[in-house]
C-alpha cells in the first residue's frame, strides 16, 4: 500500500507540474498579446498625433476656424476629432497631404477634407472643404467670401452720403455736397 501512495503522489505531482506549465504558457501568451497590443496602440497614437500636429493640418484647421460660413454652420469653438484618416508624405521642403478630419462645434459636426502639396516649405491647398454631417452641403474654404454691408446714412440739407468701392473690395464712405447747397 505504501508503494501505491507513492505512485499516487508522484502522479499527482506530475499532473500539478503539467498544469502549472500550462498556466505559465497561457500567462506568457496573454502577456505577449498585451505587449503586442500596447505596441500597436502606441504606434497608432504616435501616427495620429503626427497627423494632428502637422503644418498642413494646423493650417487647414486655422482657416476652418476663421471662415465665416464654417463658423456659422458649426459654431465656436470648432474642435478636431481623433479619428483622422489619410496620409502625409514629406521629403524635406516638399510633400503632399490627403486627409479627412472629423470636426465639431456647438451647432454641428462635419468632416474637413484636405488635399495639399508642399513646395519650398509652404503648403498649398488644392482642396479644402467642409462637409456638414446630415447635409449635402459642402463649404469650400478656399473660395473668397463676400460680406455685403448695408448702411443707411441720413441725408442732410448740406451733405449727401456716397459710397465708393475700390478694386480690393474696401468700402469707403464719403459725403458730397447736396445740389441745393
Amino acid at each position: 500500500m505504501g508503494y501505491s501512495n507513492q505512485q499516487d503522489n508522484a502522479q499527482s505531482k506530475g499532473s500539478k507540474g503539467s498544469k502549472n506549465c500550462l498556466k505559465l504558457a497561457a500567462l506568457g501568451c496573454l502577456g505577449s498579446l498585451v505587449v503586442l497590443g500596447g505596441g500597436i496602440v502606441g504606434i497608432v497614437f504616435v501616427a495620429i498625433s503626427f497627423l494632428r500636429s502637422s503644418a498642413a493640418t494646423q493650417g487647414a484647421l486655422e482657416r476652418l476656424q476663421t471662415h465665416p460660413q464654417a463658423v456659422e454652420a458649426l459654431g465656436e469653438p470648432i474642435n478636431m476629432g481623433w479619428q483622422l484618416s489619410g496620409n502625409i508624405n514629406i521629403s524635406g521642403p516638399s510633400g503632399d497631404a490627403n486627409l479627412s478630419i472629423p470636426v465639431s462645434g456647438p451647432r454641428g459636426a462635419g468632416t474637413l477634407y484636405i488635399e495639399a502639396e508642399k513646395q519650398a516649405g509652404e503648403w498649398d491647398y488644392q482642396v479644402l472643404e467642409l462637409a456638414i454631417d446630415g447635409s449635402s452641403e459642402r463649404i469650400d474654404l478656399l473660395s473668397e467670401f463676400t460680406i455685403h454691408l448695408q448702411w443707411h446714412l441720413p441725408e442732410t440739407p448740406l451733405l449727401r452720403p456716397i459710397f465708393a468701392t475700390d478694386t480690393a473690395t474696401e468700402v469707403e464712405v464719403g459725403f458730397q455736397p447736396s445740389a441745393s447747397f
Side-chain angles (χ1 to χ4, degrees), residues 42-119:
I43 289 170
V44 168
F45 180 77
V46 167
I48 289 174
S49 294
F50 169 74
L51 291 176
R52 285 177 61 90
S53 65
S54 74
T57 303
Q58 292 301 310
L61 188 63
E62 185 176 307
R63 185 170 274 179
L64 171 72
Q65 292 171 333
T66 59
H67 195 280
Q69 287 178 295
V71 170
E72 184 179 322
L74 301 178
E76 288 185 291
I78 298 174
N79 298 308
M80 181 176 15
W82 279 96
Q83 297 176 341
L84 283 77
S85 63
N87 60 62
I88 296 178
N89 301 308
I90 298 174
S91 178
S94 62
D96 61 81
N98 294 296
L99 300 166
S100 66
I101 304 169
V103 292
S104 64
R107 289 189 204 141
T111 303
L112 178 62
Y113 293 100
I114 302 169
E115 290 181 18
E117 283 187 23
K118 184 179 183 185
Q119 295 176 346

